[in-house]
Amino acid sequence: DTAVSQTPKYLVTQMGNDKSIKCEQNLGHDTMYWYKQDSKKFLKIMFSYNNKELIINETVPNRFSPKSPDKAHLNLHINSLELGDSAVYFCASSQDFLTQYFGPGTRLLVL
Amino acid sequence: AQTVTQSQPEMSVQEAETVTLSCTYDTSENNYYLFWYKQPPSRQMILVIRQEAYKQQNATENRFSVNFQKAAKSFSLKISDSQLGDTAMYFCAFMTRGAGSYQLTFGKGTKLSVIP
């Protein structure tokens, strides 16, 4: 009965590879988000989708592409991975915008 | 642009004591929301407490309360009767309406250790 789930929890990969992180929420929320938490614990929003439409796209390299096949899913695809992409990526969802429910995070390590 | 500053990278408190975490923010907006999130070692981000800027009364949730000083742009979190389970990173966050959506901006966090 997990509210916001992410897969995988850990991802170790080589530089230059392409990888995806999946996010699913079973709360019926309209809005989903992706955040990046760097090695210094700084958490910053990357994208926000509302009803499958992109509404926030912060200054993120275009190697990062969110994809929302339906309202309950917001996947993050990353092309040509770089060392600096190593971080913890959090998915979140909200209905009333005030309360965001976060997933458990995906720790990405690029070697 | 909004900024959130947490000036205490690390703090510690004895179990059962009270601790206050500081947060200041900068904005030209009048309508906004402030939050404290907790991130324990499990990494899960958990909402602790929320404050609407238009409300003068300070928010309280059980052992957690805030001191919201709108003129000073200050939003501190007080944890009373600290428990070992309160050990975590605490993030202050600010939300206002950007282009098309509400957006959270986080501070850099304060690592709180509760000592038995």
Side-chain angles (χ1 to χ4, degrees):
Chain A
D1 59 346
T2 305
V4 182
S5 59
Q6 295 178 227
T7 52
K9 284 191 176 179
Y10 299 94
L11 184 54
V12 181
T13 187
Q14 299 286 334
M15 248 174 36
N17 284 350
D18 303 339
K19 290 293 178 186
S20 292
I21 306 171
K22 295 185 177 181
C23 178
E24 177 181 2
Q25 53 97 1
N26 61 7
L27 299 166
H29 290 168
D30 287 334
T31 308
M32 295 184 72
Y33 311 80
W34 275 108
Y35 289 86
K36 177 181 180 181
Q37 186 175 39
D38 62 25
S39 58
K40 295 181 181 178
K41 301 288 188 184
F42 187 51
L43 196 66
K44 190 169 162 57
I45 191 165
M46 300 173 69
F47 302 102
S48 172
Y49 266 70
N50 182 269
N51 271 321
K52 296 170 54 181
E53 288 190 29
L54 180 67
I55 51 174
I56 292 176
N57 184 356
E58 289 296 303
T59 308
V60 175
N62 57 15
R63 297 181 295 103
F64 290 79
S65 53
K67 295 200 190 324
S68 182
D70 55 59
K71 204 172 76 163
H73 296 84
L74 182 62
N75 303 325
L76 183 64
H77 189 75
I78 315 170
N79 288 328
S80 302
L81 278 156
E82 299 177 358
L83 295 177
D85 298 333
S86 295
V88 181
Y89 292 85
F90 286 94
C91 176
S93 74
S94 71
Q95 185 61 29
D96 65 354
F97 74 84
L98 285 177
T99 305
Q100 293 189 17
Y101 294 82
F102 283 78
T106 295
R107 184 179 291 277
L108 171 65
L109 179 60
V110 182
L111 302 175
Chain B
Q2 287 79 28
T3 58
V4 178
T5 302
Q6 293 178 249
S7 58
Q8 305 149 314
E10 290 193 45
M11 293 190 74
S12 61
V13 62
Q14 289 290 136
E15 198 175 0
E17 297 293 309
T18 296
V19 65
T20 298
L21 309 184
S22 301
C23 174
T24 58
Y25 57 94
D26 187 27
T27 183
S28 57
E29 302 284 337
N30 196 42
N31 295 321
Y32 53 87
Y33 304 85
L34 295 159
F35 305 81
W36 278 97
Y37 277 86
K38 169 185 177 181
Q39 187 180 35
S42 65
R43 283 207 321 253
Q44 186 78 41
M45 291 287 288
I46 303 163
L47 177 65
V48 175
I49 200 165
R50 180 182 85 208
Q51 175 80 42
E52 290 87 344
Y54 61 84
K55 289 187 178 178
Q56 292 187 334
Q57 187 172 6
N58 288 324
T60 299
E61 287 286 340
N62 301 313
R63 298 182 296 107
F64 298 87
S65 61
V66 298
N67 183 4
F68 175 45
Q69 302 289 328
K70 191 172 183 180
K73 295 180 182 173
S74 170
F75 183 61
S76 60
L77 174 69
K78 185 171 85 171
I79 306 174
S80 304
D81 185 26
S82 297
Q83 300 176 359
L84 296 179
D86 296 334
T87 293
M89 284 288 291
Y90 286 82
F91 293 94
C92 180
F94 173 100
M95 178 186 279
T96 190
R97 187 173 178 90
S101 178
Y102 289 86
Q103 190 168 330
L104 268 176
T105 301
F106 286 88
K108 294 194 174 182
T110 296
K111 184 177 179 181
L112 177 67
S113 300
V114 180
I115 303 165

